[in-house]
Amino acid sequence: MSDNENIISVDSAFMKMARICSRKEYSPFDISQKLFGMGFTNENIEGIIVKLRNENYINEDRFVRSFVNDKLRFNQWGVKKIEMHLRYKKLPQNIIENVLSEYSNKELNSSLQSILETKWKHIKGESNYEKKGKLIKYALGRGFKMNDIISCIDELNLKDINLD
C-alpha cells in the first residue's frame, strides 16, 4: 500500500472531526494532533480547525468548562493540576482564568478533605510528622494548593486522625 492510498481528503477529514466533536468536547490541540497523525500539513489543519470553530463543533470556552467540571467531580483534581493540563492543551490563559474564577474556593477544594482522610489511613511512617509530610506531598500531586492543604489538615479534628 502506498502512502497516497491512506491519505483522505480535507473535506472528509473535516466531516470525521465534526462527527467526533459532536460526540465529545475536544480542544483545538486535540483535533490538530489527530489531523497531524493522519498526515495533514499545518495549513490544512488550521483550515479544518477554523471551519470547525465557525460551525461551533469546537468551542474553547465550552471545552474548558467541561474539562474543569469533569476533573473536579470525577477525578477529584486540584486547581493546579487542572490548570497544568489545560495549558498543555494550549488553551488561552484568559479562558482558563475566567472559567476557574466562576468556582468558589470551596467548590475547587470540595474533595480535598475526603481525599486527605482516606489517604491518612493508608500512609506508613515513623512519626506523625513524617506521615503529615507524605500526606501533603500526595495532595500537592493531586494539584491542590499548599495553603488549602494546610488549612484542611488543620480543620481535621477526627479522633483517629492525629496530625500533630
Side-chain angles (χ1 to χ4, degrees):
M1 233 183 215
S2 69
D3 288 337
N4 292 339
E5 293 178 35
N6 291 332
I7 297 177
I8 61 174
S9 72
V10 173
D11 289 335
S12 55
F14 167 77
M15 293 304 291
K16 183 175 184 174
M17 294 302 116
R19 210 171 23 257
I20 67 166
C21 287
S22 66
R23 287 188 231 132
K24 178 184 165 198
E25 293 294 336
Y26 284 93
S27 72
F29 177 74
D30 295 332
I31 296 300
S32 67
Q33 292 298 101
K34 288 180 183 296
L35 292 169
F36 185 75
M38 294 175 165
F40 285 96
T41 64
N42 287 337
E43 185 178 297
N44 288 338
I45 292 171
E46 281 302 313
I48 292 171
I49 289 176
V50 166
K51 194 172 178 185
L52 288 168
R53 274 192 183 120
N54 291 341
E55 296 191 20
N56 207 24
Y57 286 108
I58 294 179
N59 183 313
E60 292 168 332
D61 190 57
R62 194 175 61 212
F63 173 79
V64 171
R65 286 178 201 289
S66 172
F67 188 88
V68 170
N69 187 46
D70 287 353
K71 298 309 174 189
L72 285 174
R73 265 177 99 188
F74 302 117
N75 296 52
Q76 298 180 332
W77 285 1
V79 69
K80 289 296 186 185
K81 190 168 186 173
I82 292 171
E83 266 186 275
M84 180 184 65
H85 279 266
L86 289 171
R87 278 195 306 256
Y88 170 76
K89 292 183 178 286
K90 299 183 180 6
L91 292 157
Q93 187 64 32
N94 63 331
I95 293 176
I96 297 170
E97 289 171 0
N98 287 342
V99 170
L100 288 175
S101 69
E102 295 172 2
Y103 291 88
S104 69
N105 197 36
K106 184 178 180 181
E107 290 172 312
L108 291 173
N109 295 309
S110 62
S111 62
L112 181 58
Q113 183 173 351
S114 64
I115 287 171
L116 293 178
E117 288 172 352
T118 304
K119 186 66 178 175
W120 180 259
K121 295 172 186 171
H122 304 289
I123 291 178
K124 307 258 187 279
E126 296 289 320
S127 65
N128 279 345
Y129 179 79
E130 183 182 342
K131 289 172 70 174
K132 184 177 176 182
K134 289 180 179 183
L135 187 65
I136 290 170
K137 185 176 178 182
Y138 174 76
L140 287 171
R142 294 294 295 257
F144 293 97
K145 295 179 182 176
M146 180 62 117
N147 58 345
D148 295 330
I149 297 167
I150 298 299
S151 64
C152 187
I153 287 174
D154 291 342
E155 289 174 12
L156 291 175
N157 289 328
L158 301 175
K159 293 175 183 149
D160 60 330
I161 297 180
N162 183 5
L163 298 175
D164 294 326

